[in-house]
Amino acid sequence: MLIGANVSMKGKGMFVGAVAEAASYGATTLQFYTGAPQNTRRKDVSQMRIPEGLADMKSAGLSHLVIHAPYIVNLGNTIKPENYPFAVQFMKEEVARADALHAYAMPFHPGAHVGAGAGAAIAQIAKGLNQIISPDQHVLIALETMAGKGTEVGRTFEQLAAIIDRVEQPDKIAVTMDTCHMSDAGYAVKNDFDGVLNEFDHVIGLNKLAVIHVNDSKNPQGAHKDRHQNIGFGTLGFDCLNAIVHHPQLTAIPKILETPYVGPDKAHMVPPYGIEISWLKSQQFLPEQLVALGATPLAD
């Protein structure tokens, strides 16, 4: 089973440290950012300890490295055209970093139209992707399903399909499904995931699905909030997410946890991933394990 979590690549450990963290959770895949997601400061690839990290991945039985693109890039903003050239250039550099790390896919938030309308944003996102993507790149840019918060683009499969249809290198573009985002966007993830998967297949195509972000949600279906919750502690529930992780049509897709850290207070927060991965591997939900660490009680 390809199951992992978002880990940290920072300090002296860099790639090696990220792999060690993932391995400590019993993961078989992993995701990280090349730097803080809210800014564009990045270390040179020569400092990332790439050969050691790749060797450690192989030794630990990890595969399908996922590199998440930063949130700060908004290709959909046509209101401030002066920001567009920088966004394109930074993403070109991020693709180069992902390729240097031998990454499989790069989840990418498509952007927001900031008042200009989804159509204008979709056209500019596709234009930007056509400038960013090169025929010889290896990493897939995997547009993420969004919750529809504010003016986010990508809240429907149709919007993602409209972007993909305009991309000139279709073999370099894919999709990341986020279970929390899809539910918050209005899709019946909890009650009819097979129906959601069928709709995705008809609108986009299952062959375009590259990554699944496995997150519970703090909000009900259609809330458009985008607030992740720990596995089984939200409105989707353990049974729903466990079935998705073990879905026979999704065996080859890496599943990445991005659930909140837990703890008694903000000064003592710890990652829940080792516990959550063990639940999904064993298909046994033991909520008391996270409650003991200070996790929020189960949602009503």
Side-chain angles (χ1 to χ4, degrees):
M1 182 171 62
L2 286 170
I3 185 76
N6 189 74
V7 297
S8 177
M9 186 184 75
K10 63 182 181 181
K12 293 181 179 179
M14 297 304 287
F15 192 7
V16 171
V19 172
E21 183 184 348
S24 75
Y25 301 144
T28 51
T29 185
L30 73 160
Q31 171 184 285
F32 56 76
Y33 295 85
T34 62
Q38 67 272 20
N39 67 48
T40 56
R41 294 191 295 273
R42 297 292 182 269
K43 288 189 176 181
D44 189 81
V45 293
S46 63
Q47 297 178 275
M48 292 182 181
R49 302 180 65 185
I50 293 174
E52 296 166 84
L54 291 172
D56 289 354
M57 274 188 67
K58 185 175 182 180
S59 297
L62 292 156
S63 67
H64 293 75
L65 172 62
V66 178
I67 302 292
H68 203 306
Y71 306 144
I72 199 167
V73 173
N74 182 11
L75 290 178
N77 187 351
T78 60
I79 304 297
K80 293 185 176 180
E82 64 273 17
N83 294 345
Y84 175 78
F86 176 81
V88 169
Q89 182 58 35
F90 180 78
M91 278 301 297
K92 284 183 177 180
E93 295 167 2
E94 195 75 347
V95 165
R97 282 185 283 269
D99 269 356
L101 286 155
H102 295 211
Y104 152 70
M106 178 184 288
F108 178 67
H109 293 189
H113 65 72
V114 297
I122 286 168
Q124 182 162 280
I125 292 165
K127 175 185 173 183
L129 289 170
N130 284 328
Q131 292 178 269
I132 292 161
I133 294 170
S134 65
D136 57 347
Q137 77 179 58
H138 296 289
V139 68
L140 290 168
I141 295 180
L143 303 173
E144 189 163 334
T145 58
M146 302 307 294
K149 181 177 61 177
T151 65
E152 281 179 341
V153 174
R155 65 181 66 197
T156 66
F157 298 157
E158 286 78 9
Q159 287 185 348
L160 293 176
I163 297 169
I164 292 168
D165 288 346
R166 290 168 168 82
V167 172
E168 295 163 1
Q169 303 279 344
D171 59 324
K172 308 299 183 184
I173 195 80
V175 173
T176 297
M177 271 189 173
D178 186 300
T179 55
C180 168
H181 295 177
M182 287 192 299
S183 178
D184 278 26
Y187 289 96
V189 174
K190 180 175 183 177
N191 297 319
D192 186 20
F193 181 72
D194 281 336
V196 173
L197 207 58
N198 184 59
E199 183 176 350
F200 181 91
D201 192 27
H202 280 82
V203 175
I204 297 175
L206 277 176
N207 63 311
K208 285 295 184 187
L209 182 57
V211 180
I212 299 175
H213 286 161
V214 182
N215 300 303
D216 215 325
S217 176
K218 291 185 177 181
N219 295 99
Q221 181 181 331
H224 302 295
K225 295 286 187 181
D226 186 8
R227 295 180 67 214
H228 297 187
Q229 179 60 296
N230 294 103
I231 302 299
F233 280 56
T235 56
L236 294 177
F238 178 78
D239 290 344
C240 164
L241 297 172
N242 182 61
I244 291 170
V245 165
H246 292 276
H247 199 289
Q249 288 181 272
L250 306 176
T251 304
I253 309 295
K255 293 101 183 165
I256 302 292
L257 303 174
E258 301 174 318
T259 51
Y261 277 31
V262 298
D265 54 61
K266 290 184 178 180
H268 301 89
M269 305 296 280
V270 296
Y273 304 128
I275 291 172
E276 291 177 332
I277 287 172
S278 72
W279 293 345
L280 293 167
K281 282 184 171 182
S282 66
Q283 304 194 63
Q284 186 177 10
F285 182 44
L286 301 170
E288 63 274 10
Q289 292 180 322
L290 282 192
V291 171
L293 294 176
T296 306
L298 286 167
D300 294 331

